Amino acid sequence: MRNDLVEITTICPDVENSQFLVQSSCPDTIPEILKCQSAAENCSSIIYQQRSLPSIKILGTGGTIASKAVDSSHTAGYHVDLTIQDLLDAIPDISKICEIEYEQLCNVDSKNINQDILYKIYKGVSESLQTFDGIVITHGTDTLSETAFFIESTIDAGDVPIVFVGSMRPSTSVSADGPMNLYQAICIASNPKSRGRSVLVSLNDQISSGYYITKTNANSLDTFNVRQGYLGNFVNNEIHYYYPPVKPQGCHKFKLRLNGEDFKLPEVCILYAHQAFPSSIVKLVADKYDGIVLATMGAGSLPDEVNQACMELTVPIIYSKRSMDGMVPVANLPRNDSKGHNIIASGYLSPEKSRILLQLCLVGNYTPEEIKHVFTGVYGG
Ligand SMILES: NC(=O)C[C@H](N)C(=O)O
């Protein structure tokens, strides 16, 4: 229905930028939030809604993006050497896009990320959620998918985008990819269209879901291919999202206690299966660990003898897969009426993500039935 008193005209085709004009013949009809001080005194004036720049928190953890090699021709054999301040010095001026605060949580290759660091990242993100419009985390790409999965599984970010970013080339290399990836990560975190999308990853002009991402190539710039599809893309540093905001299907959220000293994840080990894979290794590991993830051959295939041994054990055992794509369906599990209730299908989850999900279930003392229920979110269980 037309309202003659107030007319709102979008001046930017992107409505989510929320810059619009309000024309009014009566001040009472103007919503309080749209009034700006000088114009509020003049009831017939055009009022332009002022928005302050989004405030972005950057958390530095290290990785290749913060590394230096011996010279510009080397893309291997480098070491972590740059702080988050150094990384910010290498990107174009962002003062018109957002206001930035940063914190160096650690400075390590992501192979050295352990549960203490994971917890630091968790804490850094949780605390920043209260005061910032977006969060960027610089991280090595080798285990980025694990941290991103952990954060997605433990933090309800509401509308605040949490953007992970890394690089495949060290900062010293010709055509280093880090500065552009970081610049784009900050653009993603600052953009209103990123709100409600939870954990995202910025790499090689692509925007992906932190929950689904997998490192698919040990060397290439385009390493984060995802079967579930990219969410968006950059062209000339403009963001083009392909879908409206969406969060991963079936992602179980765990609430962690924020008590640093006590934070300890149960020990879960991943075993990589192969021809002639011995059942003795599974039994050995079951004695020492709280849970096991098996990277099975195909969609849950293991030698019969290993299946038999797994059914005799009581520790939870997740059947995941060596193949990067595809899934392990429940129908392929070795279970009978009395045995095999400790065996759970990973669904679409990779071994490393299955491990984190099992750790989180075990930290919450979930029963095998509850663990199965959690894994049904990714069509496992
Ligand atoms: N591209 C990278 O970031 C790999 C590096 N080894 C890391 O994960 O820290």
Side-chain angles (χ1 to χ4, degrees), residues 62-65 67 78 80 108-112 139-144 166-169 215 218 223:
T64 298
I65 192 168
S67 294
Y78 45 76
V80 176
V108 295
D109 188 292
S110 74
K111 68 185 178 198
N112 287 323
H139 197 294
T141 57
D142 289 344
T143 68
L144 189 151
S167 79
M168 290 301 285
R169 290 184 181 146
K215 185 167 180 175
T223 186

Side-chain angles (χ1 to χ4, degrees), residues 31 128 159 167 192 195 225 242 247 263-264 290 293 304 329 352:
S128 306
D159 274 349
S167 79
R195 297 186 72 73
N225 287 305
Y242 307 136
K247 293 190 179 177
F263 182 73
K264 192 156 169 34
D290 304 304
V293 175
D304 294 341
E352 61 273 22

Side-chain angles (χ1 to χ4, degrees), residues 164-381:
F164 280 83
V165 59
S167 79
M168 290 301 285
R169 290 184 181 146
S171 67
T172 40
S173 114
V174 179
S175 299
D177 53 332
M180 182 62 100
N181 291 344
L182 177 59
Y183 179 74
Q184 292 182 343
I186 294 170
C187 293
I188 296 168
S190 310
N191 194 299
K193 286 185 181 170
S194 304
R195 297 186 72 73
R197 292 179 189 269
S198 226
V199 179
L200 301 168
V201 176
S202 160
L203 200 100
N204 202 36
D205 289 338
Q206 311 291 353
I207 309 168
S208 328
S209 152
Y211 187 79
Y212 283 116
I213 206 83
T214 304
K215 185 167 180 175
T216 61
N217 189 304
N219 322 100
S220 151
L221 298 193
D222 192 21
T223 186
F224 284 141
N225 287 305
V226 242
R227 262 303 176 224
Q228 288 80 2
Y230 293 120
L231 303 178
N233 169 46
F234 276 88
V235 175
N236 195 26
N237 280 322
E238 283 169 6
I239 298 179
H240 302 151
Y241 277 114
Y242 307 136
Y243 315 102
V246 70
K247 293 190 179 177
Q249 168 84 21
C251 168
H252 192 87
K253 294 275 183 197
F254 296 83
K255 223 178 167 65
L256 295 183
R257 269 173 292 126
L258 264 175
N259 180 354
E261 302 336 304
D262 282 356
F263 182 73
K264 192 156 169 34
L265 289 169
E267 304 268 7
V268 174
C269 181
I270 300 174
L271 296 176
Y272 195 92
H274 47 82
Q275 288 183 347
F277 181 61
S279 59
S280 54
I281 189 82
V282 182
K283 291 180 198 157
L284 270 176
V285 170
D287 278 348
K288 297 211 177 308
Y289 285 80
D290 304 304
I292 299 174
V293 175
L294 292 171
T296 69
M297 302 166 278
S301 308
L302 289 172
D304 294 341
E305 180 205 310
V306 178
N307 280 330
Q308 203 50 48
C310 289
M311 290 208 289
E312 304 295 334
L313 294 167
T314 51
V315 289
I317 302 178
I318 310 295
Y319 276 38
S320 183
K321 72 248 147 64
R322 299 189 316 194
S323 318
M324 197 195 77
D325 286 322
M327 56 100 70
V328 175
V330 178
N332 282 356
L333 298 181
R335 278 188 199 149
N336 61 37
D337 287 346
S338 59
K339 285 184 179 160
H341 296 291
N342 58 322
I343 298 176
I344 294 145
S346 71
Y348 283 94
L349 293 185
S350 62
E352 61 273 22
K353 288 180 189 173
S354 302
R355 172 180 163 272
I356 291 171
L357 195 56
L358 180 57
Q359 284 181 307
L360 290 169
C361 289
L362 292 174
V363 104
N365 289 321
Y366 284 27
T367 63
E369 277 319 305
E370 287 168 333
I371 300 174
K372 282 176 199 162
H373 179 73
V374 169
F375 276 85
T376 55
V378 282
Y379 305 99

Side-chain angles (χ1 to χ4, degrees), residues 105 113-127 147 150-151 154-155 256-265:
L105 294 179
I113 294 206
N114 54 21
Q115 64 176 18
D116 293 340
I117 297 181
L118 206 52
Y119 188 62
K120 258 192 199 169
I121 299 173
Y122 167 84
K123 218 163 161 244
V125 172
S126 307
E127 287 167 3
T147 305
F150 180 83
I151 295 296
T154 52
I155 290 184
L256 295 183
R257 269 173 292 126
L258 264 175
N259 180 354
E261 302 336 304
D262 282 356
F263 182 73
K264 192 156 169 34
L265 289 169

